[in-house]
């Protein structure tokens, strides 16, 4: 084995707060060798980004390195002063951040930003720097680099922007690159391009890469070595095959078990028990008080026909001058009684817009939505109120879907009070029952949302959605903001809702393995159009439309992952 | 329901009082560690309490002609009068009124006008800001363009204009009684714009959050969403502006009164006192101007510093 380029030895980061000392990173050690990609994986708050920031000297005060060493090419860099660290940063250690939108200055052309960085680090003349910049753009596979050189960041797509950020990181031929969630904000197709580029860099230029991510798929696809972090500490380190295939630590085992697989459908997700975080919830108990609705007249609870939505792109006084953007274009599908219907697609494909039209949050510009035979686009106010009582929605971001100034009890009680479903004295008891059934503590109702974690908030959202005893639940990316262990929990609750309460669901996600686990039938959307609707098993086994085939092809391969502890429902595809 | 009621009476940790919770909160912590905030809070609270309890503190009642002795006129501070050998902390004015007492009573008028004007501007601004932010479209265009137009005039000019019109339509016999309320209206109307702008901006942000969508999905009406859901979430920037506006409103009132278009001489505010005092400045009776002016300075400065600190404390990113 060659000498490591970068070594982290027993690194501990302190943040003094007025409530005492907080150590987000404790005793972390790992090495990066030339040409090696080290994945650092863990859930949010595990300290993986904090370690990365400590290495490149970008800790925000009052956070500071308390003990430990960072050694670059045999030289300690953690004790250098700010000026020397600044010189190393960018020159010897390149950085790629999560959001390509904010990593580039929108007021300068791509070329100006590259040339500035190149001149700063390498001291080349303007013409030499420009030649080098164009060469770099070419290397990160930007088409027509000499033309693109003079364009602004907004003229690039998300994936190309992230590739420009990589070009910026490569300006000064760094020997190490720290990539902090480089593909989290990107669609799968773009993610694949960016990861391929990072792999090529490591192989061809012998760059060492620290790849920080929460995504097991990215780890399995890209890395050579993996370090698993939990709660500020390294729990396990080793080669990717070893960690994913035969994990030894209990946390790693349960983390891997909680990752949804594209190939096998599980009945329930195993929950992460490590650290005493498993939560009991008793959806089945709710069924006792649940008046099961009569089956719909036709067997189709929701029928969507020719649904169209246009958004005003440029306003004008004269109607003929206005320009529209068609977000949803002539979409038709049915959702049967009691089934989970999935809608998948990349960002901007219109899947959330469809959901919001069904939820009456957006007016419909064309087509019909029928709920149990009644057209909601032509309903009067009274009928709409009755309709709204039967549908509910669970939103993507649990941090914005609960009013921060309302107590949890009032949040869950609001639908009950508004629809006048229970006499006032019974509301409190009903609210506490709902919160208890989704696994929250008995005094949760008198706290405010900020006292709860993301997963707990999402469960509060579910309790609110269940308050009116709806027939139809719309889940708009309900787990994409959550860690994989919390995702498993929420998906289990949703499965229970379908099984015990007979709820019909529209499940929207960009995550194909999750859709595979949850849905009976799936519709694939692309640029506002529904390109394919299939039974889930059939879709994954034999996709018909070329776009579906492409999407499935880009899905991360998780066959390196150990299958230990998975209760499978059916054999894989 | 077959379940027994959930046991809610089990022992919980002692609930701390509202005061100790506020003292221990992040805001309380920031307050305890800011000497500027502490000093200005003490100054502002002392002045406000002095104004509230003026009738108890003031040695004389400056509005009771019976208690005035013209012989006491122009007594310098802390010196016995040549005729009556009475001594006054801050001296007396031309009519023998104790300056200290007039300041205490004048501050009452200034603070009352200031608080009432800010309250009026705040309510008006919040309502218009919420409506324009939530509904958008033509409503927003009209309200916000009106706000823009008003911003192009200096607010003191707007206040004088409103004051002049209001005075013109009030019958003569009610003018003195109405003067204070007209003053409040004038300052309030010249000050609503910044409330409306801030509330509109914050409303636009809150409106796009999912909890508003959730409330709409439940079937809540727009006004109930605005009041119950959005309003509580846009209040913290409003609080900051209200504090800073209070200082500005006190100064605006003083300016109007100084120009002679504000509080009538029968109900002198700090501005009226300064106007009276400046007539004697060059004849050597400096204290008649000096003490009311200092009081106004300390009051406005302490409230303003408090507002500045509050803005920084509520928005850590500004530091």
């Amino acid at each position: 084995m060659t000498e490591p380029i970068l070594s982290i030895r027993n690194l501990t980061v302190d943040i003094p707060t007025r409530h005492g000392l907080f150590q987000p990173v404790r005793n972390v050690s790992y090495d990066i060798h030339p040409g090696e990609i080290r994945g650092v994986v863990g859930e949010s708050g595990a300290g993986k980004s904090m370690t990365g920031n400590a290495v490149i000297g970008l800790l925000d005060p009052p956070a500071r390195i308390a003990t430990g060493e960072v050694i670059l090419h045999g030289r300690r860099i953690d004790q250098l002063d700010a000026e020397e660290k600044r010189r190393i940063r960018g020159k010897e250690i390149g950085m790629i951040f999560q959001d390509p939108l904010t990593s580039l200055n929108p007021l300068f052309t791509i070329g100006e930003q590259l040339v500035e960085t190149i001149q700063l680090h390498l001291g080349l003349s303007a013409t030499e720097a420009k030649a080098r910049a164009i060469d770099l753009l070419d290397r990160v596979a930007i088409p027509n680099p000499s033309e693109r050189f003079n364009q602004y960041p907004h003229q690039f797509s998300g994936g190309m922007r992230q590739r420009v950020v990589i070009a910026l990181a490569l300006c000064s031929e760094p020997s190490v690159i720290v990539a902090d969630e480089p593909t989290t904000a990107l669609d799968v197709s773009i993610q694949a391009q960016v990861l391929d580029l990072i792999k090529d860099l490591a192989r061809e230029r012998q760059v060492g890469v620290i790849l920080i991510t929460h995504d097991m798929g990215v780890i399995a696809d890209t890395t050579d070595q993996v370090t698993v972090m939990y709660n500020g500490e390294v729990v396990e380190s080793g080669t990717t095959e070893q960690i994913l295939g035969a994990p030894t630590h209990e946390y790693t085992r349960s983390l891997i078990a909680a990752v949804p697989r594209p190939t096998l459908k599980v009945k329930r997700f195993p929950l992460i028990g490590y650290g005493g975080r498993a939560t009991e919830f008793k959806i089945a108990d709710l069924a006792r008080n649940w008046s099961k609705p009569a089956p719909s007249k036709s067997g189709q609870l929701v029928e969507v026909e020719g649904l169209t939505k246009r958004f005003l792109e440029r306003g004008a006084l004269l109607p003929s001058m206005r320009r529209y953007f068609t977000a949803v274009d002539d979409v038709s599908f049915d959702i049967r009684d009691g089934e989970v219907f999935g809608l998948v697609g990349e960002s901007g494909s219109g899947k959330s817009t469809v959901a919001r039209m069904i939820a009456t949050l957006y007016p419909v510009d064309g087509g019909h939505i029928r709920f149990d035979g009644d057209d909601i686009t032509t309903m009067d106010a009274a009928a709409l109120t009755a309709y709204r009582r039967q549908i509910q929605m669970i939103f993507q971001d649990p941090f914005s879907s609960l009013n921060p100034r309302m107590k949890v009890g009032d949040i869950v009680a609001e639908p009950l009070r508004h629809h006048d479903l229970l006499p006032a004295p019974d509301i409190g008891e009903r609210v506490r029952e709902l919160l208890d059934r989704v696994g929250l503590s008995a005094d949760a109702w008198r706290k405010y949302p900020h006292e709860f974690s993301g997963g707990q908030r999402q469960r509060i959202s579910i309790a609110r959605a269940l308050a009116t005893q709806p027939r139809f639940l719309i889940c708009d990316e309900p787990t994409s903001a959550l860690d994989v262990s919390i995702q498993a929990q929420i998906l289990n609750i949703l499965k229970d809702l379908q099984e015990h309460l007979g709820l019909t669901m529209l499940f929207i996600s960009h995550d194909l393995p999750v859709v595979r686990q949850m849905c009976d039938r799936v519709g694939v959307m692309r640029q506002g159009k529904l390109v394919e609707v299939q039974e889930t098993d059939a879709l994954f086994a034999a996709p018909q439309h070329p776009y579906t085939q492409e999407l499935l092809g880009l899905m991360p391969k998780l066959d390196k992952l150990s299958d230990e502890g998975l209760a499978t429902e059916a054999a894989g595809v | 329901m077959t379940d027994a009621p959930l046991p809610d009476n089990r022992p919980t940790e002692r609930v701390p009082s509202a005061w100790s919770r506020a003292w221990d909160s992040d805001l309380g912590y920031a307050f305890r560690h800011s000497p500027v905030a502490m000093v200005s809070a003490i100054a502002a609270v002392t002045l406000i309490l002095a104004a509230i309890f003026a009738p108890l503190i003031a040695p004389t009642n400056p509005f009771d002609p019976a208690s005035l002795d013209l012989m006491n006129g122009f007594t310098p501070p802390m010196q016995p009068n040549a005729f009556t050998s009475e001594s006054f902390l801050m001296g007396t004015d031309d009519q023998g009124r104790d300056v200290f007492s007039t300041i205490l009573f004048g501050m009452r008028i200034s603070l009352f006008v200031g608080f009432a004007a800010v309250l009026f501007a705040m309510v008006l601004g919040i309502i218009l800001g919420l409506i324009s932010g939530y509904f958008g479209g033509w409503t927003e265009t009209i309200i916000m363009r009106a706000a823009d137009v008003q911003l192009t005039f200096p607010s003191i000019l707007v206040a004088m204009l409103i004051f002049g019109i209001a005075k013109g339509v009030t019958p003569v016999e009610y003018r003195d009684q109405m003067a204070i309320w007209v003053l409040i209206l004038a300052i309030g109307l010249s000050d609503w714009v910044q409330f409306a702008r801030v509330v509109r901006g914050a409303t636009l942000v809150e409106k796009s959050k999912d909890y508003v969508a959730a409330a709409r999905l439940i079937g809540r009406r727009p006004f109930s969403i605005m009041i119950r859901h959005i309003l509580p979430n846009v209040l913290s920037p409003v609080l900051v502006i209200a504090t800073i506006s209070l200082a500005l409103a006190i100064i605006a009132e003083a300016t109007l009164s100084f120009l002679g278009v504000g509080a009538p001489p029968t109900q002198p505010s700090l501005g009226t006192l300064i106007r009276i005092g400046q007539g004697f400045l060059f004849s050597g009776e400096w204290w008649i101007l000096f003490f009311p002016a200092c009081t106004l300075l300390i009051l406005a400065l302490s409230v303003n510093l408090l507002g500045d600190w509050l803005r920084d404390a509520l928005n850590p990113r500004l530091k």
Side-chain angles (χ1 to χ4, degrees):
Chain A
M1 201 85 185
T2 47
E3 275 293 289
I5 319 173
L6 183 79
S7 295
I8 300 170
R9 293 265 159 273
N10 301 324
L11 188 74
T12 297
V13 174
D14 276 0
I15 302 181
T17 72
R18 72 182 173 104
H19 302 293
L21 188 67
F22 172 56
Q23 294 188 320
V25 176
R26 286 187 303 278
N27 255 334
V28 168
S29 305
Y30 52 82
D31 291 339
I32 291 94
H33 296 270
E36 178 184 88
I37 301 178
R38 171 166 298 268
V40 180
V41 70
E43 304 190 359
S44 48
K48 45 193 202 303
S49 289
M50 193 68 88
T51 316
N53 287 345
V55 169
I56 55 186
L58 279 183
L59 284 179
D60 285 326
R64 59 188 156 80
I65 296 179
T67 57
E69 300 173 0
V70 182
I71 300 160
L72 179 74
H73 294 303
R75 171 177 168 225
R76 270 191 79 168
I77 60 167
D78 54 295
Q79 291 172 320
L80 298 179
D81 63 30
E83 178 59 23
E84 283 172 293
K85 270 187 186 161
R86 191 183 64 74
R87 240 177 274 149
I88 287 177
R89 192 159 61 223
K91 188 165 168 59
E92 291 176 53
I93 306 181
M95 289 160 296
I96 306 169
F97 294 110
Q98 176 171 347
D99 189 356
L101 270 177
T102 52
S103 311
L104 293 171
N105 189 331
L107 293 180
F108 291 94
T109 63
I110 296 298
E112 284 165 346
Q113 300 185 46
L114 283 165
V115 166
E116 187 198 358
T117 317
I118 293 170
Q119 287 189 312
L120 184 72
H121 288 305
L122 300 180
L124 298 178
S125 74
T127 37
E128 284 170 326
K130 181 175 176 181
R132 191 172 157 75
I134 291 174
D135 176 48
L136 277 169
L137 288 177
D138 188 40
R139 230 159 54 198
V140 295
I142 302 275
N144 299 327
S146 41
E147 227 169 88
R148 287 295 203 164
F149 182 83
N150 291 318
Q151 292 187 344
Y152 288 90
H154 71 262
Q155 291 168 295
F156 287 69
S157 69
M160 289 216 278
R161 247 182 251 151
Q162 194 64 308
R163 275 183 276 160
V164 171
V165 172
I166 295 177
L168 265 175
L170 292 177
C171 276
S172 55
E173 305 279 339
S175 45
V176 184
I177 290 180
V178 179
D180 190 350
E181 304 271 9
T183 58
T184 305
L186 305 175
D187 279 326
V188 271
S189 53
I190 303 163
Q191 164 169 321
Q193 294 167 9
V194 171
L195 291 180
D196 280 344
L197 182 61
I198 291 176
K199 273 190 271 190
D200 289 348
L201 284 175
R203 303 290 170 270
E204 287 164 20
R205 314 192 65 78
Q206 291 297 300
V207 176
V209 180
I210 302 178
L211 182 66
I212 297 166
T213 182
H214 68 281
D215 188 334
M216 276 293 176
V218 170
I219 293 286
D221 261 5
T222 320
T223 61
D224 308 304
Q225 301 274 325
V226 182
T227 297
V228 183
M229 288 186 73
Y230 173 74
N231 199 12
E233 285 168 2
V234 171
V235 296
E236 200 167 356
S237 238
T239 66
T240 305
E241 276 75 20
Q242 179 198 333
I243 298 283
L244 298 187
T248 53
H249 195 277
E250 192 200 335
Y251 174 72
T252 318
R253 272 206 296 266
S254 47
L255 188 66
I256 287 173
V259 176
R261 307 302 156 84
T263 43
L264 20 114
K265 184 160 182 170
V266 299
K267 192 158 168 48
R268 288 182 72 83
F269 292 95
L271 295 180
I272 292 193
Y274 188 75
R277 285 189 304 164
T279 334
E280 282 290 307
F281 42 82
K282 302 150 253 179
I283 297 298
D285 292 357
L286 265 181
R288 275 186 285 140
N289 287 313
W290 198 275
S291 40
K292 276 212 174 131
S296 62
K297 293 159 208 155
S298 58
Q300 315 277 359
L301 188 62
V302 178
E303 295 158 89
V304 173
E305 187 190 313
L307 196 62
T308 300
K309 177 74 198 172
R310 295 180 306 166
F311 288 110
L312 196 62
E313 202 169 44
R314 201 183 59 195
L317 213 55
L318 291 173
S320 61
M321 300 274 288
R322 291 177 193 153
R323 275 225 316 263
Y324 292 94
F325 162 71
T326 307
V328 175
D329 192 359
D330 194 18
V331 166
S332 305
F333 59 86
D334 298 332
I335 303 175
R336 295 173 197 146
D337 259 351
E339 83 170 342
V340 179
F341 184 84
L343 266 186
V344 297
E346 299 187 88
S347 53
S349 61
K351 50 195 195 309
S352 284
T353 312
V354 169
R356 283 174 184 251
M357 279 192 283
I358 297 177
T360 68
L361 294 175
Y362 288 156
V364 173
D365 286 337
H368 301 279
I369 299 167
R370 288 192 199 84
F371 185 79
D372 201 1
D374 302 322
D375 193 341
I376 67 162
T377 56
T378 56
M379 272 182 187
D380 58 18
L384 266 181
T385 306
Y387 167 64
R388 287 202 180 105
R389 201 165 54 224
Q390 300 179 63
I391 59 157
Q392 274 302 319
M393 189 158 172
I394 294 166
F395 298 89
Q396 171 174 1
D397 181 5
F399 290 89
S400 91
S401 61
L402 304 175
N403 186 342
R405 303 272 167 166
M406 275 168 82
K407 282 185 181 166
V408 166
D410 291 326
I411 289 173
V412 178
E414 194 179 12
L416 293 170
R417 293 193 183 125
H418 180 79
H419 291 297
D420 231 348
L421 294 177
L422 278 178
D426 298 344
I427 286 182
E429 198 180 340
R430 176 81 185 151
V431 166
R432 269 168 291 179
E433 186 204 359
L434 282 165
L435 289 171
D436 178 57
R437 297 303 184 256
V438 296
L440 291 165
S441 63
D443 57 352
W445 61 275
R446 54 180 149 169
K447 294 185 182 169
Y448 286 92
H450 70 86
E451 297 173 62
F452 295 92
S453 68
Q456 289 173 322
R457 284 164 180 242
Q458 203 63 314
R459 282 185 272 146
I460 296 170
S461 254
I462 292 175
R464 170 177 63 189
L466 294 179
T468 57
Q469 306 207 344
R471 292 167 75 183
F472 182 56
L473 195 60
I474 301 166
C475 308
D476 187 0
E477 302 263 11
T479 60
S480 58
L482 304 175
D483 280 325
V484 58
S485 60
I486 311 293
Q487 162 170 299
Q489 223 176 58
I490 300 293
L491 294 181
N492 278 346
I493 295 185
L494 294 177
K495 275 171 176 276
D496 285 352
L497 290 179
Q498 188 203 10
E499 186 178 330
H500 297 295
L501 304 179
L503 282 185
T504 310
M505 281 187 227
L506 173 62
F507 190 92
I508 290 167
S509 181
H510 68 279
D511 190 335
L512 290 165
V514 170
V515 167
R516 171 91 174 94
Q517 301 299 325
M518 294 299 298
C519 302
D520 302 309
R521 287 192 307 144
V522 182
V524 181
M525 285 193 73
R526 185 195 193 186
Q527 292 172 0
K529 290 198 168 66
L530 191 65
V531 299
E532 183 170 1
V533 181
Q534 282 266 17
E535 300 286 328
T536 309
D537 289 341
L539 184 95
F540 277 76
Q544 298 300 309
H545 194 276
Y547 178 68
T548 318
Q549 292 164 357
E550 188 193 327
L551 268 188
L552 289 176
L554 290 166
M555 218 164 33
K557 309 284 172 288
L558 294 167
D559 38 15
K560 283 183 192 166
L561 266 62
S562 124
D563 290 341
E564 183 194 343
L566 286 184
T568 50
E569 190 180 61
V573 190
Chain B
M1 295 267 326
T2 50
D3 281 29
L6 289 163
D8 198 38
N9 47 0
R10 79 211 140 72
T12 51
E13 71 269 38
R14 215 159 49 82
V15 179
S17 72
W19 175 252
S20 75
R21 255 185 300 146
W23 188 247
D24 203 45
S25 68
D26 288 341
L27 203 61
Y29 179 83
F31 181 74
R32 277 178 286 157
H33 285 75
S34 162
V36 175
M38 294 272 257
V39 171
S40 30
I42 291 170
V45 169
T46 312
L47 288 177
I48 290 170
L49 287 179
I52 292 172
F53 296 109
L56 303 177
I57 303 169
T60 62
N61 180 355
F63 302 123
D64 178 11
S67 73
L68 297 183
D69 184 353
L70 273 179
M71 296 300 278
N72 278 334
F74 296 127
T75 315
M78 310 284 277
Q79 285 172 33
N81 184 280
F83 307 102
T84 60
S85 59
E86 281 183 73
S87 175
F88 299 91
L89 181 65
M90 294 181 185
T92 60
D93 65 2
D94 56 339
Q95 299 174 50
R97 283 193 294 202
D98 174 29
V99 172
F100 179 58
S101 307
T102 53
I103 287 176
L104 289 178
F105 280 90
M107 224 162 34
R108 293 185 115 190
I109 308 280
S110 289
L111 281 168
F112 176 71
V113 172
F115 274 109
V118 168
L119 194 70
F120 177 62
M122 192 164 84
V123 171
L124 189 67
I126 286 177
I127 293 172
L128 292 176
L130 273 177
I131 289 175
S132 56
Y134 191 82
F135 290 113
W138 284 108
T139 334
E140 179 183 25
T141 311
I142 291 168
I143 294 175
M144 294 327 285
R145 286 305 84 77
D148 289 346
V149 169
Q150 189 177 324
L151 264 193
T152 58
F153 298 105
S155 58
I156 199 77
L157 214 63
V158 178
M160 280 176 76
L161 179 72
I162 297 166
F163 193 83
I165 296 171
K167 216 169 177 182
V169 299
T170 328
V172 183
E173 60 269 33
Y174 296 118
R175 256 182 213 169
D176 272 7
Q177 275 170 279
M178 294 295 290
I180 296 289
W181 301 104
V182 172
L183 205 52
I184 291 169
L185 182 80
I187 297 173
L189 276 183
S190 69
D191 213 27
W192 66 274
V193 174
Q194 37 176 335
F195 286 99
R197 286 190 151 193
V198 165
V199 170
R200 172 183 161 268
T203 305
L204 285 177
V205 173
E206 297 300 321
K207 184 176 82 163
S208 65
K209 292 195 177 163
D210 285 339
Y211 70 84
V212 174
R216 286 174 60 201
L217 190 62
I218 289 169
R220 287 258 173 214
R221 304 256 165 270
F223 281 99
S224 121
I225 292 178
M226 273 188 248
I227 302 296
R228 272 181 63 83
H229 289 277
I230 295 181
L231 181 60
N233 286 294
V234 301
L235 274 185
S236 64
V238 168
L239 193 66
V240 173
I241 301 188
T243 321
I244 293 174
S245 285
L246 177 62
L248 294 177
I250 291 171
I251 292 174
E253 184 277 327
T255 312
L256 288 174
S257 298
F258 181 79
L259 295 173
V261 293
T266 50
Q267 288 170 294
S269 72
L270 286 178
T272 323
L273 296 179
I274 293 170
R275 176 165 55 102
I276 296 168
Q278 66 118 18
F280 303 108
L281 188 59
F282 293 108
S283 54
E285 287 88 20
W286 53 272
W287 58 88
I288 307 178
L289 171 78
F290 180 77
F291 291 110
C294 278
T295 315
L296 179 68
L297 177 81
I298 295 169
L299 186 63
L301 187 66
S302 59
V303 174
N304 209 334
L305 287 175
L306 213 53
D308 268 355
W309 164 82
L310 194 64
R311 185 189 57 203
D312 294 348
L314 289 178
N315 191 352
R317 266 165 297 171
L318 269 183
K319 279 177 194 163

